[in-house]
Amino acid sequence: MAVPFFCVAVAILAASKPPDLLISRDADLFAARTSDGLAVSTMSKARYSREQWTAMIGASSVYLWSTSTTNKPPPVRCDRFGCSLGETPHRISFAFTPEALREDCQTATLLIAAIPVRQNCPAPSKIIDRFDVWRDGAYALWIDGDEIKSRSVRQVRGQRPWVRSR
């Protein structure tokens, strides 16, 4: 009798795709799944999250974005203000400073900010900023063409009486 349930479980696991982008609960670590492994924004912060993400997606290696050895997906370009992945119209921006928001709010499809986004930001179809991760926890994002799906820890966990709302 357990065989049909086992088959359904195996089918669900086989069909589930690991996230393309990950954001830590403090917005101090961002990661992208690549054919090389896991590309991360920093190696000096959120070590536990980085290790858990590596195990979750089954990555064989972890490296900084700036050291990518492949062109698929396009390499991440970074400066002291932030980073960007891809080209317009499918540009993902990671803003670390308020200066980065000026450009990113005009050109990005998806904006992930380590700082609060308090200004009008017309271009991105989705914005995840420091307040979002503070309120909802870490995020996982799946990108399928023009569609961006996201799930936060709070969405998965649900509302529980013993978990304080921020």
Side-chain angles (χ1 to χ4, degrees):
M1 292 183 67
V3 172
F5 293 110
F6 178 74
C7 292
V8 169
V10 169
I12 289 171
L13 286 174
S16 66
K17 176 184 162 194
D20 296 310
L21 296 171
L22 296 157
I23 307 167
S24 71
R25 68 183 177 101
D26 295 325
D28 57 356
L29 177 67
F30 307 114
R33 182 174 53 89
T34 68
S35 58
D36 292 349
L38 187 67
V40 295
S41 59
T42 180
M43 292 292 237
S44 62
K45 297 180 182 177
R47 183 177 137 211
Y48 180 77
S49 295
R50 190 175 59 248
E51 290 171 354
Q52 293 300 308
W53 293 349
T54 304
M56 176 187 66
I57 68 167
S60 57
S61 64
V62 178
Y63 57 90
L64 287 172
W65 280 338
S66 59
T67 60
S68 175
T69 59
T70 183
N71 287 331
K72 292 183 181 180
V76 176
R77 292 176 299 285
C78 296
D79 59 24
R80 63 189 175 117
F81 303 117
C83 297
S84 65
L85 170 65
E87 301 294 332
T88 307
H90 302 293
R91 183 171 171 226
I92 301 166
S93 292
F94 303 89
F96 304 131
T97 66
E99 293 84 7
L101 290 178
R102 285 188 210 113
E103 178 186 351
D104 295 340
C105 280
Q106 303 303 319
T107 60
T109 306
L110 169 63
L111 175 61
I112 300 169
I115 57 174
V117 177
R118 295 185 174 148
Q119 65 192 43
N120 183 21
C121 208
S125 60
K126 184 159 192 72
I127 299 172
I128 299 173
D129 72 352
R130 184 154 189 99
F131 285 145
D132 292 322
V133 296
W134 175 79
R135 184 177 41 254
D136 299 329
Y139 273 81
L141 294 102
W142 292 264
I143 301 168
D144 186 17
D146 291 339
E147 186 178 10
I148 300 169
K149 295 179 183 176
S150 66
R151 292 206 39 128
S152 69
V153 168
R154 185 179 197 177
Q155 289 172 315
V156 173
R157 177 189 66 215
Q159 294 288 32
R160 296 181 178 168
W162 57 87
V163 177
R164 202 173 351 141
S165 294
R166 292 184 166 180

